[in-house]
Amino acid sequence: MSELISEFDAAGMHPLVEPVDASHGILLYLEDVSVTFDGFKAIDHLSLYIGDGELRCIIGPNGAGKTTMMDIITGKTKPDTGRVFFGQTIDLLKLDEPAIARAGIGRKFQRPTVIEPLTVLENLELAMSGAKRLRGLLSTRLSKAEWERIAAVLERIGLSEHGDRPAGILAHGQKQWLEIGMLLMQEPRLLLVDEPVAGMTPAEMERTAELLKSLAGEHSVVVVEHDMGFVRSIADKVTVLHQGRVLAEGRLDELQTDPTVIEVYLGVSDAQH
Amino acid sequence: MRLPAWLLSDRAGLALLTALTVLAIGVPALNLLLPTDHPLHLSAYTITLIGKYLCYALLAVSVDLVWGYMGILSLGHAAFFALGGYCFGMYLMRQIGARGVYGNSELPDFMVFLNWSELPWYWYGFDQFWFAALMVLIVPGLLAFVFGWFAFRSRVSGVYLSIITQALTYALMLAFFRNEMGFGGNNGLTDFKEVLGFSLHADGTRIVLFALSALALAGGYLACRWLVSTRLGRVLVAIRDSEDRARFLGYRVERVKALVFTFSAMLAGVAGALYVPQVGIINPGEFAPLNSIEAVIWVAVGGRGTLVGAVVGAVLVNYAKTWLTGALPEVWLFALGGLFVAVTLLLPRGLIALWRRREATA
Ligand SMILES: Nc1ncnc2c1ncn2[C@@H]1O[C@H](COP(=O)(O)OP(=O)(O)OP(=O)(O)O)[C@@H](O)[C@H]1O
Ligand SMILES: [Mg+2]
């Protein structure tokens, strides 16, 4: 009986999704994906492959469909057509958001989303993988191993001094790091990071670049970002999205000389500034 | 004995528990030990009145758990309170036995009046105290679970959810008004005689019911305080402040909501069950949409998301109501509305914030 209760699936740990099989070197497959909102094609026959351990930047003008693409990968939006696979075997279109999170995909929102009344520590604890069964949920204390995991992530995101402060009083940049830290607590294989440096000071940006670069290899990281300087500092491979489609893919310095890219994106954004 | 850390750090809660202990001992003492003509003597009427406030306070705690911590503004919690009340009322009804007006030992008076010849199946078992006590938890809990399961799974939230909770309690009110439902129609259940063989009119019984109300409130408070201090409590806050964040961290938000909503409904049911023997009647009016709204106002006045605030709000607002409906009955609803507006504008964190502020500056 007690075993039954401890295994009871309160917050809904699915009968664990199988481990990711990235044996072909690709962790995420999007193939021919389309989604339409009220007749408007936000994603239009998009195909994209993310390698295992890769750090990929995605750029594109406002409304290009970058956030929508993340919504599709994480189960928030179901596409009209197309296939989305995590590794060789996990069909993400068959899973809902929590199941996808538990399969190993973490997501940072465009607007920093930390739980403001909770402390930094509590935010990390909330995100910890393995704590989501009823027995874990009804405990009031951290085990030593759990505590060490949290301390390691705190250190990594540079918030060791701030563990006991409410997340709401952190500086904007610190909130962004905390949210990345929360993703790390999930121990994901793939991190989707939407506009991590929006509103950051140059010094904060530099630290964020270091952090994201240090994550690649161990994890695959997909970063959506507008800031060209930042993109240049972290990624070797960049995908340009435009009107829901891949316009170009390659190294940033190559893309910057590509006339179509200059026209739709770089040109436009330069004209704006 | 050492208190666990989650309780030790809860100073307002310890103050509340102390106050409840003092009440549970002091109030009976003032009734039993002092002569009736002593100025400090408490009549059985007053004791029952305070007992009623404590039941409302438990209802308020259950509302605060789902609204203050999980962000679900339930405008239908009085329905769970009333269902608990009806379940216990059915037991009290069966206890009347042959002492009713018609002297029928099998059927409650209103059924005899309707020319029914036998007890409907859903009244079976309610002659047993243990069965009724179990139903006090199960009936509101089951309704809350089924309702929550469908509502939360279809991701109904915010104002829409509040509106359907109002619809739920309104529909129940209309159903219970019907005589054919078998719950006494608009008269409801009343004329109770005794509980477990003790007369409901005896001072001793009233004192015990009062003490049980204090105990239930203390227990309900402790259960909720413990719950919100666990990891699950932080998940609730995450759901309240950013449902998507919780979902993308891998929490099955709708299950957590359904479970906590069910637990909260059970607490409300217990409050209703203790309320009915003290006031001596339960009728469909208890399902009135306004009752649920009042419960939310108590919580807002006391301070949402604090649990202690819910208790403070429920007791103070109901004290004011007793006084005002006696002195100026037609003013009450305006006063209640005015109070709600004033608190929302001037004291958005409720009365409890005043205490916190003093504590912080002290
Ligand atoms: N739920 C929705 N319903 C209707 N339209 C939507 C929805 N979500 C996105 N869109 C539209 O789809 C298009 C793509 O939006 P998306 O947010 O993916 O762009 P983005 O590339 O992330 O832009 P930004 O750089 O501004 O963040 C926009 O035109 C947007 O208005
Ligand atoms: Mg976007």
Side-chain angles (χ1 to χ4, degrees):
Chain A
M1 184 65 194
S2 76
E3 197 172 90
L4 208 146
I5 292 173
S6 69
E7 292 307 309
F8 178 69
D9 194 13
M13 177 74 90
H14 247 318
L16 205 98
V17 192
E18 55 200 297
V20 192
D21 170 14
S23 56
H24 292 198
I26 305 286
L27 187 64
L28 181 74
Y29 299 78
L30 271 86
E31 282 171 347
D32 207 21
V33 173
S34 296
V35 66
T36 309
F37 295 119
D38 313 317
F40 169 75
K41 260 198 175 331
I43 297 286
D44 186 11
H45 298 285
L46 173 72
S47 293
L48 187 74
Y49 305 90
I50 305 294
D52 193 18
E54 182 186 354
L55 172 58
R56 173 81 62 95
C57 272
I58 301 201
I59 61 175
N62 292 108
K66 306 180 295 291
T67 300
T68 306
M69 178 197 78
M70 292 200 170
D71 286 345
I72 291 171
I73 299 169
T74 53
K76 188 174 186 184
T77 300
K78 290 290 172 204
D80 307 329
T81 57
R83 306 188 328 130
V84 184
F85 268 76
F86 191 38
Q88 304 293 307
T89 51
I90 302 176
D91 183 352
L92 292 181
L93 298 183
K94 292 210 178 97
L95 304 178
D96 61 0
E97 300 103 315
I100 291 172
R102 284 153 187 239
I105 298 181
R107 172 175 187 183
K108 198 197 88 59
F109 293 107
Q110 184 159 351
R111 200 170 54 84
T113 313
V114 295
I115 310 303
E116 308 223 327
L118 300 183
T119 65
V120 170
L121 275 178
E122 286 169 339
N123 268 280
L124 293 177
E125 184 193 357
L126 183 74
M128 184 158 49
S129 68
K132 287 160 197 163
R133 286 174 183 233
L134 193 61
R135 188 173 48 184
L137 280 173
L138 292 183
S139 76
T140 47
R141 295 174 42 194
L142 285 171
S143 74
K144 187 157 181 290
E146 290 171 335
W147 171 245
E148 280 167 1
R149 263 181 68 197
I150 291 181
V153 168
L154 264 182
E155 175 86 45
R156 192 157 193 184
I157 57 175
L159 295 179
S160 293
E161 318 276 273
H162 303 282
D164 292 322
R165 303 177 78 196
I169 64 173
L170 294 180
H172 175 79
Q174 292 173 321
K175 284 186 190 167
Q176 301 268 33
W177 294 332
L178 175 57
E179 198 177 355
I180 294 174
M182 289 166 77
L183 303 195
L184 293 178
M185 292 304 299
Q186 289 178 263
E187 302 187 318
R189 281 292 287 273
L190 172 65
L191 285 100
L192 305 173
V193 187
D194 204 347
E195 304 206 9
V197 298
M200 278 191 180
T201 65
E204 287 174 331
M205 266 192 216
E206 205 170 303
R207 287 189 65 178
T208 310
E210 299 285 296
L211 176 61
L212 292 175
K213 274 193 285 189
S214 77
L215 297 177
E218 199 181 328
H219 313 264
S220 298
V221 185
V222 175
V223 180
V224 163
E225 194 41 73
H226 279 297
D227 190 289
M228 280 306 149
F230 181 76
V231 170
R232 188 173 298 115
S233 71
I234 60 169
D236 28 55
K237 193 166 175 188
V238 176
T239 299
V240 185
L241 228 58
H242 179 54
Q243 293 177 346
R245 257 178 304 177
V246 174
L247 184 73
E249 209 163 69
R251 292 165 48 87
L252 188 64
D253 43 16
E254 294 164 14
L255 292 176
Q256 278 175 316
T257 55
D258 183 322
T260 44
V261 175
I262 293 173
E263 190 187 328
V264 308
Y265 185 65
L266 301 169
V268 174
S269 83
D270 280 347
Q272 270 174 356
H273 291 300
Chain B
M1 193 189 79
R2 275 197 43 212
L3 292 174
W6 57 268
L7 186 55
L8 212 56
S9 57
D10 173 27
R11 293 186 44 197
L14 289 174
L16 171 71
L17 294 172
T18 312
L20 283 176
T21 313
V22 170
L23 264 184
I25 297 169
V27 164
L30 290 180
N31 173 274
L32 297 172
L33 301 181
L34 297 178
T36 18
D37 53 358
H38 193 283
L40 285 179
H41 174 85
L42 279 183
S43 66
Y45 170 79
T46 313
I47 293 183
T48 298
L49 192 65
I50 306 175
K52 207 173 90 173
Y53 294 163
L54 297 182
C55 294
Y56 287 145
L58 182 55
L59 171 61
V61 166
S62 77
V63 170
D64 196 24
L65 180 67
V66 294
W67 184 37
Y69 288 88
M70 201 163 53
I72 296 176
L73 176 55
S74 167
L75 294 179
H77 251 54
F80 305 124
F81 180 88
L83 284 173
Y86 264 98
C87 286
F88 201 69
M90 287 163 82
Y91 162 75
L92 296 173
M93 219 52 195
R94 299 286 280 132
Q95 287 292 291
I96 298 173
R99 284 165 295 178
V101 178
Y102 298 104
N104 187 323
S105 64
E106 274 310 303
L107 292 186
D109 277 351
F110 72 86
M111 291 187 194
V112 181
F113 185 76
L114 291 172
N115 286 322
W116 291 11
S117 56
E118 56 184 52
L119 205 63
W121 61 268
Y122 47 83
W123 274 75
Y124 292 172
F126 279 96
D127 51 336
Q128 302 293 323
F129 178 84
W130 67 267
F131 182 81
L134 203 62
M135 287 301 136
V136 161
L137 295 172
I138 290 180
V139 172
L142 196 65
L143 176 68
F145 186 77
V146 171
F147 175 87
W149 186 255
F150 287 107
F152 303 141
R153 251 174 34 137
S154 357
R155 305 227 173 141
V156 181
S157 61
V159 176
Y160 299 98
L161 189 90
S162 301
I163 291 172
I164 59 173
T165 55
Q166 278 267 284
L168 173 77
T169 192
Y170 188 65
L172 282 167
M173 179 178 75
L174 296 183
F176 275 73
F177 264 126
R178 291 158 41 95
N179 282 325
E180 308 84 85
M181 277 285 281
F183 297 108
N186 59 345
N187 295 322
L189 310 176
T190 187
D191 291 328
F192 309 133
K193 306 277 188 251
E194 55 190 32
V195 55
L196 285 172
F198 298 99
S199 166
L200 281 170
H201 305 289
D203 282 11
T205 314
R206 288 172 162 237
I207 287 174
V208 170
L209 284 169
F210 164 81
L212 284 175
S213 306
L215 195 69
L217 176 57
Y221 174 81
L222 281 171
C224 291
R225 170 61 61 201
W226 171 75
L227 196 73
V228 300
S229 70
T230 61
R231 282 180 189 163
L232 182 60
R234 300 196 269 282
V235 176
L236 301 189
V237 173
I239 290 174
R240 178 191 72 193
D241 288 359
S242 175
E243 189 166 322
D244 266 341
R245 182 70 278 169
R247 201 170 265 133
F248 288 113
L249 287 177
Y251 289 102
R252 250 171 229 293
V253 168
E254 35 293 310
R255 285 193 208 178
V256 175
K257 280 184 174 177
L259 276 179
V260 174
F261 194 65
T262 303
F263 175 69
S264 161
M266 289 176 162
L267 281 184
V270 170
L274 283 161
Y275 173 82
V276 166
Q278 299 189 76
V279 300
I281 181 169
I282 173 87
N283 63 30
E286 296 294 340
F287 287 106
L290 185 62
N291 284 23
S292 295
I293 295 175
E294 273 192 44
V296 166
I297 295 178
W298 307 335
V299 176
V301 167
R304 175 189 170 197
T306 61
L307 296 177
V308 177
V311 174
V312 171
V315 172
L316 288 182
V317 175
N318 279 293
Y319 180 72
K321 182 180 183 177
T322 306
W323 176 75
L324 209 61
T325 45
L328 295 159
E330 59 288 349
V331 174
W332 167 242
L333 273 184
F334 295 102
L336 185 68
L339 180 69
F340 184 57
V341 173
V343 166
T344 312
L345 294 179
L346 303 175
L347 264 183
R349 293 160 154 272
L351 292 173
I352 200 90
L354 295 175
W355 191 64
R356 291 258 162 86
R357 202 177 298 160
R358 233 201 54 206
E359 199 180 46
T361 52

